[in-house]
């Protein structure tokens, strides 16, 4: 309590001692009793004690306060540290270091201060991050949904980990935001492309979803709602697109069908190329702007309806076209279309509007398909039939040839005729086998199909039968003739014995053709076959009387002609024509029986025996000399010779006959060719398979100059165009 | 069927070119007629109205012309240029050049290209959609064995006839080399080549009164169908006179064709049936070119001396447009005893 070193205390001590002394003196003076004195002193001592006690109490209290302050500071410090997730820096050292309380407090306070500052910094950081999170969340979830509970948040945790967590959260949100932005952007792109394809206003659609999406620069709404709405918009647009695409493709296919049907010209089609090229495209392949706009679809629709109208108007035409196609096909395959009468009815019905032309068209198409199918099954047999018919032609030609008195005359082309005869004989030998094979094949075919195999409406089996009959009869005829010949020989011998001279053999000058199987005209076949059957065996009554069945090997030609009874005009003039041919020396001579076939069978030019080779010098020289470009120019002897060219129908020498037979069978239309009169009559071309012969005299001299120098066209000559020298060499090499 | 001589050779167009006519062509869409001439002009006529609708003058004689669409056409000139003509504005621009006079020109709708043949022994393809200027429009140059004399197109096929009787057949989709190299079946210089409208072959005429009918298909069956025939000849005092066949034009509907020769005659033929269908009365001078209108109802005939006998006095150049009677161009199939069609 008393500090001996402290001066004031010492002074207090001294002052107390002196005061006590003074009191003693006073007392002595006063003469206080000792008891009184003791009492006073005790009082004094008690009072002093009281004062001491008070002071100690005060000091004690302040110490306690100090301790409290330190503890508080430490507690706060600890709290902050723990909040910040840091280890407290100051571990209580005061115990060891025996610091005074005040020092300790002084040491702690700045630390506390520092920590507080750091805490507030940290807090600010938190706030900042949370604010950002809040912002983004608002953007994403909409301002109402996300309650900012976290922002107010508990103060207890400001740790770095927490901060990191928040940062992470922020980062995620940012990522989500950018994802969404991209998503929105994607959606916008999709909407844009859809809109462009559909021809819809993009802005309008987008602004409807969210106004912010409309302006290109500013921030775009990325909320769930917006995205959902965008999604919905896209779905809607896509549905519309699909619908329209379906519509357009339907239109396109209709259009294609119509084009096909009506042979619409390419130029017209090209305009709608954009439509038809998408006909099989899937939805995502259609990206061209406006391909599905309402306007465009309407445009296409208009075109389709235009085509439909056109089709309706053309329907009849189409039906006719299809029908002629069908008939053409039938003709080519030698079938008889079974539809003639019904077709006429159908067409009439179309005209009156009673029947839907499409229906008829379909029907015809069905028929075409059927006929094609049948034709396929007929193909092999048909080839055989053709071959047989060709052989028959050769046979009849051969017969005719055999009857020709002059056949061995060494005229032009005689060697070729000989060659042909040789071939024909070989062919004729094979004929019976051919007929048998054909008959059995045909029978098999008929068996299999249960229908008759017809050729141009005539049953092939009956044709074959007729042919066999005819052949047999011919055989008989031949035998009879041989007998007659012999008989005649005897008669002549008798006459000679009587009168000493032989009758002129020229009495049978009029060489007649044996009726032959006509290969051409569809219905005339039956007639001509029948005709041949009737005609051939009809013998001269006189001769038949004389006929004796004595066979003779020799001279079976020439004299039999009288027995044949030609009824056809075409045939009656044949001999004259042939003679004309012979004089002209044309190679046509050997063709004349083919000529008939050629002309009649226009529908099968492919099957025709090609023009037999003509030696270019011989034939074309002859042609050059005799042929005229224009038969109507001069109706002279030369003309008559010229006409029976390779290609001529009948071997008639005069055009009038050909006309009568070929054109319309009415002689009144015979045009008599007059020079400079343009002809409407079709005239056969002067075809030659080989190119022109060497020099003929030309009206124009250009050609003749060709071999000597470089050729120039008239235009080059006129333009004065001359080949540069360097080119010349290569030219000549060529 | 009457064989009355056709009274007139057709309506003569007024304002004809003042010099030789090199080609005439009907439009694919209208009855407009494009005419190129040695008087360095290209003229556009409305054939049905007999009116001159446009005139273009070039630096040299114009050897050929063709339509692009109804508002534009092309011309091939002896001044080596290939030009585009705009009818509406009466303007023209140079599409490109050859190294020698350009003899013939064709526009392919299938390829969208213009094809020109020149005496510089090349064929050139042009894309007319490019801006003008050779480097932008030229698609390719294809050397030919000789000077090109005639071109014809059908679909993607191009037939090129040159001097030296060469015939090259191209596929427009692959121009790198000819699909077929042929020699003319005729022995003399080729005058004109024209494809059949059905695309199966071509007709080729020579200076020696002959026309060859050829087929693209190289199979034996197809080649067996080919043939040649004589025409445009006459005999005078025992002497044969043979005239060049300058022009061939196929009828767009029936596939029959007309030929025109230096004898001044136009003949109509049916190639399938090997028949001559009709002969028109003689024109004043050589037939230089022929063209059927798009529907085949009109036939334009250029009667114009083709310089076959050098410079000499001759009849004035004229274009006749005649309406075609169906009977003159319709093939006449044989009469069937049992009429089917």
């Amino acid at each position: 309590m008393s500090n001996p070193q402290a001066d004031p205390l010492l002074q207090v001590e001294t002052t107390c001692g002196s005061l006590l002394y003074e009191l003693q003196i006073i007392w002595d003076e006063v003469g206080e009793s000792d008891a009184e004195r003791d009492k006073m002193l005790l009082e004094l001592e008690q009072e002093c004690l009281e004062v001491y006690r008070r002071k100690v109490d005060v000091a004690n209290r302040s110490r306690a306060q100090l301790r409290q302050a330190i503890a508080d500071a430490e507690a706060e410090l600890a709290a902050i540290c723990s909040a910040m997730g840091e280890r407290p820096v100051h571990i209580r050292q005061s115990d060891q270091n025996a610091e005074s309380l005040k020092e300790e407090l002084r040491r702690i306070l700045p630390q506390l201060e520092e920590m507080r500052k750091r805490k507030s910094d940290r807090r600010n950081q938190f706030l900042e991050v949370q604010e950002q999170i809040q912002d983004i969340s608002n953007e994403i979830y909409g301002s109402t949904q996300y309650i900012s509970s976290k922002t107010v948040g508990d103060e207890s945790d400001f740790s770095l980990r927490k901060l990191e967590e928040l940062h992470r959260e922020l980062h995620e949100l940012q990522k989500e935001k950018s994802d969404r932005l991209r998503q929105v952007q994607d959606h916008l792109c999709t909407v844009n492309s859809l809109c462009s394809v559909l021809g819809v206003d993009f802005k309008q659609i987008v602004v409807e979803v969210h106004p912010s999406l409309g302006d290109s620069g500013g921030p775009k709404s990325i909320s769930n709602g917006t995205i959902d709405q965008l999604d919905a918009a896209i779905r809607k647009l896509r549905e519309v697109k699909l619908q329209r695409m379906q519509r357009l493709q339907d239109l396109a296919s209709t259009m294609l069908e119509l084009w096909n049907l009506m042979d619409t010209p390419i130029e017209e089609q090209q305009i709608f190329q954009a439509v038809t090229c998408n006909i099989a495209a899937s939805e995502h392949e259609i990206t061209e702007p406006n391909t599905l706009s309402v306007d465009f679809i309407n445009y296409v629709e208009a075109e389709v309806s235009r085509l439909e109208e056109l089709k309706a108007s053309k329907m009849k035409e189409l039906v006719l076209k299809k029908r002629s196609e069908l008939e053409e096909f039938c003709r080519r395959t030698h079938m008889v279309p079974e539809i003639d009468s019904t077709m006429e009815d159908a067409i009439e019905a179309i005209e009156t509007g009673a029947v839907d032309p499409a229906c008829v068209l379909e029907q015809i198409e069905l028929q075409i398909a059927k006929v094609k199918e049948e034709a396929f099954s007929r193909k092999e047999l048909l080839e055989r039939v053709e071959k047989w018919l060709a052989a028959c032609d050769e046979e009849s030609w051969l017969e005719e040839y055999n009857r020709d008195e002059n056949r061995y005359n060494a005229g032009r082309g005689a060697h070729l005729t000989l060659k042909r005869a040789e071939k024909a004989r070989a062919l004729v030998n094979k004929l019976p086998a051919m007929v048998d094979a054909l008959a059995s094949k045909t029978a098999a075919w008929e068996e299999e199909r249960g229908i008759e195999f017809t050729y141009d409406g005539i049953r092939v089996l009956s044709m074959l039968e007729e042919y066999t009959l005819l052949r047999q009869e011919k055989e008989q005829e031949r035998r009879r003739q041989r007998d007659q010949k012999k008989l005649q020989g005897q008669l002549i011998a008798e006459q000679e014995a009587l009168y000493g001279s032989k009758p002129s053999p020229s009495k049978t000058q009029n060489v007649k053709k044996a009726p032959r199987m006509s290969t051409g005209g569809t219905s005339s076949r039956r007639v001509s076959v029948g005709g041949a059957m009737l005609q051939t065996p009809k013998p001269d009554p006189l001769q038949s009387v004389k006929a004796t069945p004595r066979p003779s090997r020799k001279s079976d030609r020439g004299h039999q002609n009288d027995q044949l009874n030609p009824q056809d005009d075409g045939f009656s003039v044949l001999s004259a024509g042939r003679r004309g041919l012979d004089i002209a020396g044309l190679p046509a001579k050997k063709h004349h029986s083919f000529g008939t076939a050629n002309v009649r069978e226009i529908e099968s030019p492919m099957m025709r025996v090609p023009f037999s080779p003509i030696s270019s010098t011989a034939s074309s020289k002859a042609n050059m000399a005799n042929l005229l470009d224009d038969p109507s120019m001069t109706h002279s002897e030369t003309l008559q010779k010229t006409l029976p060219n390779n290609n001529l129908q009948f071997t008639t020498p005069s055009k009038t006959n050909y006309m009568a037979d070929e054109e319309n069978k009415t002689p009144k239309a015979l045009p008599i060719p007059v020079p400079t009169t343009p002809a409407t009559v079709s005239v056969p071309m002067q075809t030659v398979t080989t190119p022109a012969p060497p020099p003929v005299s030309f009206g124009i001299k250009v050609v003749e100059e060709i071999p000597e120098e470089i050729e120039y066209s008239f235009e080059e000559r006129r333009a004065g165009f001359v080949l540069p020298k360097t080119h010349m060499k290569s030219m000549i090499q060529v | 069927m009457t064989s009355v001589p056709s009274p007139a050779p057709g309506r003569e167009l007024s304002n004809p070119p003042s010099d030789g006519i090199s080609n005439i062509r009907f439009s694919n869409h209208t009855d407009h007629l494009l005419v190129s001439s040695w008087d360095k002009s290209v003229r556009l006529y409305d054939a049905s109205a007999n009116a001159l609708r446009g005139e273009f003058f070039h630096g040299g004689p114009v050897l050929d012309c063709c339509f692009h669409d109804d508002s534009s056409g092309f011309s091939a000139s002896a001044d080596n240029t290939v030009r585009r003509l705009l009818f509406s504005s009466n303007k023209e621009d140079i599409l490109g050049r050859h190294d020698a006079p350009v003899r013939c020109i064709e526009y392919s709708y299938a390829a969208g290209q213009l094809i020109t043949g020149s005496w510089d022994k090349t064929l050139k393809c042009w894309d007319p959609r490019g801006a003008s200027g050779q480097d932008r429009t030229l698609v390719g140059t294809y050397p030919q064995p000789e000077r090109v004399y005639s071109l014809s197109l059908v679909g993607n096929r191009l037939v090129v006839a040159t001097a030296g009787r060469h015939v090259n057949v191209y596929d427009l989709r692959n121009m790198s080399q000819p699909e077929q190299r042929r020699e003319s079946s005729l022995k003399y210089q080729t005058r004109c080549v024209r494809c059949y409208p059905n695309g199966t072959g071509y007709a080729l005429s020579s200076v020696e009164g002959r026309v060859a009918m050829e087929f693209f298909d190289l199979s034996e069956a197809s080649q067996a169908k080919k043939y040649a025939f004589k025409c445009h000849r006459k005999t005078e005092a025992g002497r044969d006179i043979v005239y060049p066949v300058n022009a061939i034009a196929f009828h767009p509907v029936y596939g029959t064709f007309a030929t025109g020769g230096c004898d001044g005659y136009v003949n109509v033929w049916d190639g399938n049936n090997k028949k001559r269908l009709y002969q028109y009365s003689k024109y004043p001078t050589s037939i230089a070119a022929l063209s059927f209108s798009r529907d085949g109802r009109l036939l334009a005939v250029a009667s114009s001396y083709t310089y076959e006998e050098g410079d000499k006095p001759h009849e004035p150049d004229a274009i006749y447009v005649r309406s075609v009677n169906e009977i003159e161009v319709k093939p006449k199939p044989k009469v069937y005893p049992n009429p089917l069609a």
Side-chain angles (χ1 to χ4, degrees):
Chain A
M1 245 167 275
S2 61
N3 195 338
Q5 277 116 10
D7 264 337
L9 281 180
L10 272 181
Q11 276 176 341
V12 170
E13 204 98 325
T14 47
T15 0
C16 275
S18 64
L19 281 175
L20 206 58
Y21 183 66
E22 218 182 296
L23 201 56
Q24 251 171 359
I25 293 172
I26 297 168
W27 279 343
D28 283 341
E29 247 184 66
V30 171
E32 278 289 350
S33 64
D34 279 350
E36 203 59 32
R37 285 186 185 193
D38 281 347
K39 198 186 160 200
M40 287 285 274
L41 278 175
L42 188 70
E43 220 172 80
L44 192 70
E45 235 164 75
Q46 267 171 345
E47 267 174 35
C48 265
L49 206 67
E50 201 61 36
V51 168
Y52 268 111
R53 187 156 289 146
R54 235 177 15 246
K55 282 296 172 191
V56 167
D57 278 353
V58 166
N60 205 14
R61 230 177 1 254
S62 102
R63 188 184 67 179
Q65 273 173 354
L66 209 53
R67 280 213 176 109
Q68 185 62 46
I70 289 170
D72 284 354
E74 276 180 343
E76 194 182 341
L77 197 59
I80 290 174
C81 280
S82 87
M84 307 237 315
E86 278 175 32
R87 282 195 57 187
V89 234
H90 68 98
I91 299 173
R92 186 173 290 271
Q93 302 151 333
S94 52
D95 292 338
Q96 300 114 330
N97 289 6
E99 265 174 318
S100 77
L101 287 176
K102 285 196 171 170
E103 270 172 27
E104 202 178 335
L105 187 62
R106 259 200 311 276
R107 194 173 50 79
I108 281 177
L109 277 179
Q111 276 182 3
L112 183 62
E113 211 52 41
E114 161 90 18
M115 281 315 277
R116 276 198 189 128
K117 224 177 90 212
R118 278 174 61 184
K119 184 185 167 187
S120 89
D121 283 352
R122 182 67 59 83
R123 193 185 150 90
N124 283 343
Q125 277 178 331
F126 266 68
L127 277 178
E128 202 181 315
V129 171
Q130 275 169 337
E131 223 166 88
Q132 284 179 21
I133 290 176
Q134 185 66 36
D135 281 353
I136 294 175
S137 306
N138 282 354
E139 271 185 64
I140 294 177
Y141 304 106
S143 48
T144 48
Q145 276 178 316
Y146 192 78
I147 300 147
S148 51
S149 57
K150 279 188 181 169
T151 12
V152 196
D154 53 328
E155 298 267 310
S156 61
D157 197 353
F158 285 123
S159 68
L160 276 175
R161 222 178 48 225
K162 178 76 176 172
L163 185 65
E164 227 163 76
E165 233 167 68
L166 280 178
H167 267 298
R168 221 170 15 246
E169 190 182 342
L170 176 65
H171 192 71
E172 260 162 35
L173 279 170
Q174 274 169 342
K175 219 178 94 200
E176 184 171 351
K177 180 182 170 180
S178 72
D179 281 351
R180 277 170 182 252
L181 260 177
R182 208 175 315 121
Q183 198 183 347
V184 167
Q185 206 57 50
D186 282 352
H187 279 1
L188 286 179
C189 269
T190 317
V191 172
N192 194 5
S193 67
L194 282 170
C195 284
S196 84
V197 170
L198 294 174
V200 181
D201 184 15
F202 166 69
K203 273 257 158 74
Q204 193 197 327
I205 297 253
V206 154
V207 168
E208 247 170 54
V209 170
H210 197 280
S212 73
L213 300 177
D215 64 322
S216 48
K220 295 180 167 37
S221 165
I222 51 166
S223 68
N224 282 337
T226 310
I227 290 176
D228 286 350
Q229 269 176 292
L230 265 180
D231 260 337
I234 287 173
R235 224 174 303 122
K236 217 175 71 198
L237 285 172
R238 192 155 279 161
E239 258 165 47
V240 173
K241 184 180 174 184
L242 271 172
Q243 271 170 11
R244 292 200 187 164
M245 193 182 72
Q246 203 69 44
R247 175 95 186 95
L248 192 72
Q249 287 181 347
D250 286 352
L251 287 173
S253 55
T254 320
M255 201 183 247
L256 274 182
E257 256 168 49
L258 288 169
W259 282 347
N260 232 356
L261 206 60
M262 296 192 289
D263 292 336
T264 310
I266 295 282
E267 294 99 280
E268 213 171 295
Q269 297 189 4
Q270 244 154 11
I271 307 169
F272 293 94
Q273 208 63 57
V275 185
T276 47
C277 70
N278 281 337
I279 192 158
S282 52
E283 185 236 321
H284 63 90
E285 282 172 316
I286 300 180
T287 49
E288 281 285 300
N290 271 337
T291 29
L292 293 175
S293 71
V294 179
D295 289 347
F296 189 69
I297 289 182
N298 285 343
Y299 172 53
V300 174
E301 210 164 6
E303 172 69 9
V304 168
S305 61
R306 189 184 73 82
L307 285 173
E308 291 275 11
E309 262 168 50
L310 205 62
K311 178 188 162 195
S313 70
K314 274 198 175 170
M315 215 40 167
K316 200 191 121 204
E317 212 174 293
L318 271 171
V319 168
L320 287 171
K321 199 178 116 191
K322 279 284 171 199
R323 188 174 145 233
S324 67
E325 199 177 292
L326 172 61
E327 280 162 0
E328 168 68 21
F329 193 80
C330 281
R331 209 181 307 143
R332 227 178 323 153
T333 52
H334 299 283
M335 294 200 285
V336 174
E338 330 127 4
I339 35 127
D340 265 12
S341 59
T342 52
M343 275 325 294
E344 294 303 337
D345 293 349
I347 282 154
E348 259 168 51
I350 289 167
E351 267 164 14
T352 55
V355 180
D356 180 13
C359 195
V360 179
L361 205 62
E362 206 172 294
Q363 204 182 323
I364 296 180
E365 252 156 32
L366 214 74
Q367 264 166 343
I368 292 181
K370 219 173 71 190
V371 167
K372 276 195 179 152
E373 202 179 307
E374 196 180 334
F376 185 72
S377 78
R378 285 166 55 96
K379 203 177 152 218
E380 196 200 333
L381 268 181
L382 202 62
E383 274 167 14
R384 279 174 182 272
V385 173
E386 307 269 0
K387 229 190 236 168
W388 169 61
L389 288 175
C392 286
D393 273 346
E394 275 306 279
E395 187 188 22
S396 61
W397 175 83
L398 186 65
E399 268 173 39
E400 196 180 293
Y401 172 80
N402 282 339
R403 269 178 231 122
D404 185 356
E405 290 283 326
N406 295 324
R407 70 185 138 158
Y408 295 127
N409 284 4
R412 261 200 198 109
H415 62 293
L416 292 174
T417 328
L418 269 175
K419 220 175 251 171
R420 181 176 166 191
E422 212 171 285
K423 266 189 198 153
R425 274 184 207 111
L427 198 61
V428 168
N429 282 339
K430 274 187 247 160
L431 247 172
M434 208 187 266
V435 169
D436 287 347
L438 183 56
S440 68
K441 284 252 177 197
T442 312
W445 189 90
E446 287 188 351
E447 185 97 357
E448 189 185 324
R449 299 238 153 45
I451 46 171
E452 295 191 344
F453 185 88
T454 59
Y455 184 86
D456 290 333
I458 304 164
R459 197 174 167 197
V460 168
L461 278 182
S462 69
M463 279 164 72
L464 289 170
E465 226 165 87
E466 277 169 17
Y467 173 80
T468 332
L469 269 174
L470 183 67
R471 201 179 161 84
Q472 282 169 357
E473 275 169 43
K474 265 194 217 159
E475 203 61 49
Q476 280 178 3
E477 187 62 30
R478 207 166 289 152
R479 226 172 292 144
R480 193 158 45 224
Q481 271 172 19
R482 280 187 215 132
D483 298 346
Q484 264 169 14
K485 177 81 189 157
K486 229 174 190 175
L487 206 67
Q488 218 167 25
Q490 282 178 347
L491 210 70
I492 287 168
E494 280 167 30
Q495 277 179 344
E496 202 174 21
L498 278 172
Y499 308 110
S501 73
K502 281 192 181 184
S504 160
S506 65
K507 65 167 184 174
T508 53
Q509 190 57 265
N510 191 14
V511 181
K512 293 188 181 99
K513 301 290 167 278
R516 44 177 288 275
M517 295 278 287
S518 151
T519 54
T522 43
S523 71
S524 73
R525 168 169 306 112
R526 171 148 275 177
V527 173
S528 63
V529 170
M533 286 175 66
L534 285 175
Q535 288 164 15
T536 327
K538 198 189 280 177
D540 189 4
L542 182 79
Q543 284 176 343
S544 69
V545 170
K546 289 176 191 164
T548 49
R550 233 178 301 168
S552 149
R553 290 258 125 212
K554 276 170 134 193
S555 66
D556 56 345
R557 64 182 168 93
H559 299 279
Q560 60 187 324
N561 302 310
D562 281 343
Q563 299 154 359
L564 305 173
N565 189 6
Q567 291 170 337
D568 194 319
D569 283 352
F571 290 154
S572 66
V573 290
L574 271 174
S575 66
R578 293 249 342 265
R579 256 180 286 127
L581 279 172
D582 290 345
I583 293 160
L586 283 179
K589 182 183 169 187
K590 65 181 182 291
H591 284 299
H592 59 272
S593 73
F594 267 114
T596 318
N598 284 348
V599 172
R600 289 247 174 125
E601 283 187 36
I602 55 131
E603 71 272 32
S604 58
M606 308 251 302
M607 285 171 255
R608 165 196 310 160
V609 178
F611 301 120
S612 35
I614 306 162
S615 85
S616 72
T617 43
S619 70
S620 43
K621 249 181 202 156
N623 285 342
M624 273 303 185
N626 291 318
L627 297 187
L628 286 172
D629 162 40
D630 180 5
S632 64
M633 292 282 282
T634 49
H635 193 243
S636 64
E637 179 66 23
T638 15
L639 171 66
Q640 292 206 345
K641 286 178 197 162
T642 318
L643 265 168
N645 204 347
N646 311 6
N647 207 16
L648 191 55
Q649 289 67 18
F650 272 48
T651 52
T652 48
S654 84
K655 200 165 135 210
T656 26
N657 264 317
Y658 145 63
M659 276 297 302
D661 278 326
E662 282 307 311
E663 291 298 327
N664 41 20
K665 307 214 171 193
T666 45
K668 66 178 178 217
L670 301 188
I672 295 164
V674 176
T676 71
T677 304
T680 44
V681 186
S682 31
V683 179
M685 291 177 179
Q686 302 179 338
T687 55
V688 190
T689 43
T690 45
V696 196
S697 79
F698 286 102
I700 292 102
K701 293 179 184 71
V702 185
V703 179
E704 286 161 344
E705 289 162 17
I706 285 170
E708 298 149 34
E709 52 180 78
I710 302 170
E711 59 165 339
Y712 284 111
S713 63
F714 308 139
E715 287 78 15
E716 283 167 306
R717 280 161 193 277
R718 175 161 192 191
F721 179 77
V722 181
L723 270 185
K725 277 264 173 336
T726 43
H727 294 301
M728 214 108 103
K729 232 180 236 163
S730 65
M731 227 295 302
I732 289 161
Q733 281 166 358
V734 170
Chain B
M1 55 187 298
T2 48
S3 58
V4 188
S6 41
R11 192 153 38 84
E12 185 175 350
L13 290 184
S14 42
N15 298 317
S18 58
D19 202 344
I21 297 164
S22 51
N23 199 12
I24 53 179
R25 277 194 213 240
F26 267 112
S27 155
N28 273 342
H29 307 286
T30 57
D31 285 343
H32 283 184
L33 188 68
L34 201 60
V35 176
S36 59
S37 162
W38 285 84
D39 70 358
K40 308 186 180 178
S41 77
V42 176
R43 281 153 213 254
L44 180 70
Y45 295 92
D46 185 335
S48 39
N50 191 6
L52 184 61
R53 285 286 149 87
E55 232 174 336
F56 299 87
F57 284 98
H58 294 353
V62 191
L63 299 182
D64 199 1
C65 60
C66 67
F67 274 96
H68 180 203
D69 46 43
D70 256 7
S71 61
S72 62
F74 303 104
S75 66
S77 173
D79 66 0
N80 305 0
T81 57
V82 176
R83 291 165 198 255
R84 170 168 39 204
L85 317 168
L86 298 169
F87 303 141
S88 51
S89 53
N90 224 39
K91 277 188 192 144
E92 53 169 275
D93 54 352
I94 294 181
L95 214 58
R97 282 174 197 283
H98 274 272
D99 297 333
V102 192
R103 175 65 188 90
C104 33
I105 193 161
E106 288 286 342
Y107 180 75
S108 164
Y109 290 96
Q113 285 184 3
L114 184 69
I115 298 128
T116 56
S118 160
W119 294 337
D120 67 2
K121 303 185 183 177
T122 63
L123 204 64
K124 282 182 197 275
C125 288
W126 312 88
D127 186 349
R129 291 165 296 195
S132 58
Q134 179 129 356
D135 41 337
R136 309 233 189 102
T137 52
L138 184 63
V139 176
T141 301
Y142 311 101
Q144 299 298 311
E146 255 296 348
R147 288 151 287 152
V148 179
Y149 280 171
S150 187
L151 288 180
S152 183
L153 275 172
V154 64
N156 279 315
R157 274 232 170 76
L158 169 68
V159 180
V160 185
T162 71
R165 297 169 46 246
H166 299 282
V167 177
N168 280 347
V169 181
Y170 282 92
D171 186 329
L172 282 180
R173 293 162 295 192
N174 176 16
M175 289 292 291
S176 58
Q177 56 179 16
E179 197 175 35
Q180 296 175 23
R181 281 177 232 258
R182 297 190 179 191
E183 190 179 39
S184 162
S185 325
L186 306 180
K187 284 202 168 168
Y188 294 97
Q189 189 185 86
T190 306
R191 273 305 274 165
C192 180
V193 66
R194 289 291 177 263
C195 293
Y196 307 160
N198 66 9
T200 57
Y202 59 89
L204 180 143
S205 70
S206 79
V207 294
E208 188 257 348
R210 233 176 253 264
V211 175
M213 309 297 287
E214 306 275 355
F215 294 87
F216 293 128
D217 186 358
L218 291 174
S219 71
E220 213 165 286
S222 284
Q223 288 304 311
K225 287 191 289 181
K226 77 175 203 177
Y227 65 95
F229 64 93
K230 303 188 213 173
C231 48
H232 300 282
R233 290 153 181 253
K234 75 175 174 191
T235 306
E236 223 165 47
R239 202 161 162 266
D240 288 315
I241 305 181
V242 183
Y243 296 94
V245 182
N246 294 325
I248 306 174
F250 276 90
H251 192 278
V253 178
Y254 295 119
T256 52
F257 60 99
T259 59
C262 286
D263 55 355
Y265 279 105
V266 174
N267 291 324
V268 183
W269 307 87
D270 178 354
N272 290 332
N273 295 318
K274 301 189 178 174
K275 288 268 187 71
R276 191 179 71 194
L277 295 174
Y278 206 82
Q279 181 173 55
Y280 295 119
S281 56
K282 193 171 186 292
Y283 285 90
T285 180
S286 307
I287 306 304
L290 291 168
S291 180
F292 278 107
S293 65
R294 66 195 193 286
D295 52 6
R297 298 226 172 90
L298 296 176
L299 173 64
V301 178
S303 166
S304 171
Y305 176 55
T306 45
Y307 215 74
E308 58 269 19
E309 288 174 296
D311 201 358
K312 67 161 197 186
H314 54 83
E315 299 285 332
D317 306 290
I319 300 164
Y320 296 93
V321 176
R322 60 179 311 139
S323 45
V324 177
N325 214 326
E326 197 169 80
I327 200 158
E328 300 162 6
V329 292
K330 192 171 181 178
K332 278 183 208 156
K334 292 299 120 30
V335 177
Y336 294 100
N338 167 23
L340 291 163

